[in-house]
Amino acid sequence: MSDTVLLSREGALARITLNRPASLNAVDAEMAERWREVATEVAADETIGAVILDAAGRAFCAGGDVVSMSTSGLGGGEVTAMARVITDGIAALTASAVPIVAAVQGAVAGGGLGIMLVADYIVAAPSAVFVSKYANIGLTPDLGVSTLLPAAVGQRRALQLLLHDTGLDAETAREWGLVTEVDPDPAARATAIAASWLDGATAAFGQAKRLVRAGGQRSFADSLEDEARTIGGRFDTDEARVRIDAFAAASTRRPRPEEKP
């Protein structure tokens, strides 16, 4: 089994770690296959309630391993095939009903942006840097970047990153909406966020993530119907009933605005 992407479990928490640190976690063919294997396994496992996505070494992900592609004699057909393998994993995780938090350090470039944006909550180190670099080498966005990036930062800013040699520092990335938080210890902060999901209404967090992710891919009417079915289904679960009953009980004890305490 390849160790280019690691998968570990601690109860309902899964951790996916990009693990080619010597290559800044740039994705080659072997890593692409392992990424798909891990991602599809996690997405299909209903016992997982939260996922941490992180990376070994000083960078999160430098995108595709362009050096390997150039020196190994790959053609366009092989590059297309590899991109499809990676996007199988991206599609599985974004469609899953499990929230994902990413801990990001160092460089995030090219397709690494797409892999990062699989996460629903992104914590970046102050030293993190975000760049496109596709056009610098005559290539075009892949790994979901043309869809996930504008969904995160808006079309104009996405085009600024893709059509100009623009790099974002961590704080600017936060202001743009590319990442959620900047923290000096992204690993610890990501762990705390995942723990809060597992300590709370875990399944509800997962379904909320699924609804939001699916909303941009279908009609508004379909989203409304899915919302109605999902909230009705959640209402009858033990996880929800305990919280609903506690909320109702607290509300009956609380003085109304017109009443004196």
Side-chain angles (χ1 to χ4, degrees):
M1 181 185 297
S2 169
D3 64 356
T4 55
V5 180
L6 305 176
L7 174 61
S8 60
R9 285 285 301 270
E10 184 177 338
L13 174 65
R15 183 184 300 272
I16 300 173
T17 302
L18 308 181
N19 191 42
R20 290 189 76 218
S23 300
L24 303 182
N25 295 309
V27 184
D28 63 0
E30 179 183 343
M31 186 176 178
E33 292 286 353
R34 178 60 179 159
W35 163 260
R36 176 169 65 178
E37 178 185 358
V38 167
T40 53
E41 178 181 342
V42 168
D45 190 337
E46 295 182 357
T47 68
I48 294 174
V51 176
I52 295 173
L53 174 62
D54 60 15
R58 60 190 177 91
F60 180 78
C61 181
D65 191 337
V66 177
V67 174
S68 174
M69 294 177 193
S70 175
T71 58
S72 62
L74 288 181
E78 289 88 352
V79 172
T80 293
M82 188 168 77
R84 286 172 174 158
V85 169
I86 302 168
T87 54
D88 282 347
I90 288 173
L93 289 175
T94 55
S96 71
V98 57
I100 302 170
V101 56
V104 175
Q105 78 284 354
V108 186
L113 294 168
I115 292 175
M116 180 188 75
L117 288 168
V118 163
D120 310 297
Y121 201 108
I122 300 170
V123 184
S127 59
V129 179
F130 306 86
V131 293
S132 163
K133 296 297 185 183
Y134 284 108
N136 298 55
I137 54 174
L139 296 179
T140 51
D142 64 345
L143 310 191
V145 169
S146 66
T147 302
L148 297 173
L149 183 60
V153 305
Q155 188 180 85
R156 291 294 179 193
R157 283 176 165 170
L159 288 169
Q160 182 178 343
L161 278 172
L162 295 171
L163 303 182
H164 189 269
D165 192 15
T166 298
L168 302 182
D169 60 27
E171 191 56 40
T172 303
R174 185 195 63 77
E175 291 172 359
W176 279 30
L178 183 60
V179 305
T180 316
E181 292 185 21
V182 177
D183 192 279
D185 191 345
R189 179 60 180 149
T191 299
I193 290 165
S196 74
W197 293 337
L198 295 175
D199 288 340
T202 305
F205 290 131
Q207 289 299 326
K209 168 260 177 78
R210 183 190 63 79
L211 286 167
V212 170
R213 289 288 196 173
Q217 304 171 21
R218 59 190 180 184
S219 71
F220 185 45
D222 286 343
S223 288
L224 292 174
E225 176 58 25
D226 193 357
E227 286 178 342
R229 287 196 309 267
T230 301
I231 196 170
R234 293 298 312 153
F235 193 85
D236 289 331
T237 64
D238 292 341
E239 182 182 76
R241 287 305 319 179
V242 169
R243 289 168 171 80
I244 292 167
D245 291 346
F247 178 85
S251 295
T252 59
R253 294 192 299 268
R254 188 180 304 122
R256 296 181 182 277
E258 66 274 11
E259 295 175 348
K260 294 182 179 180

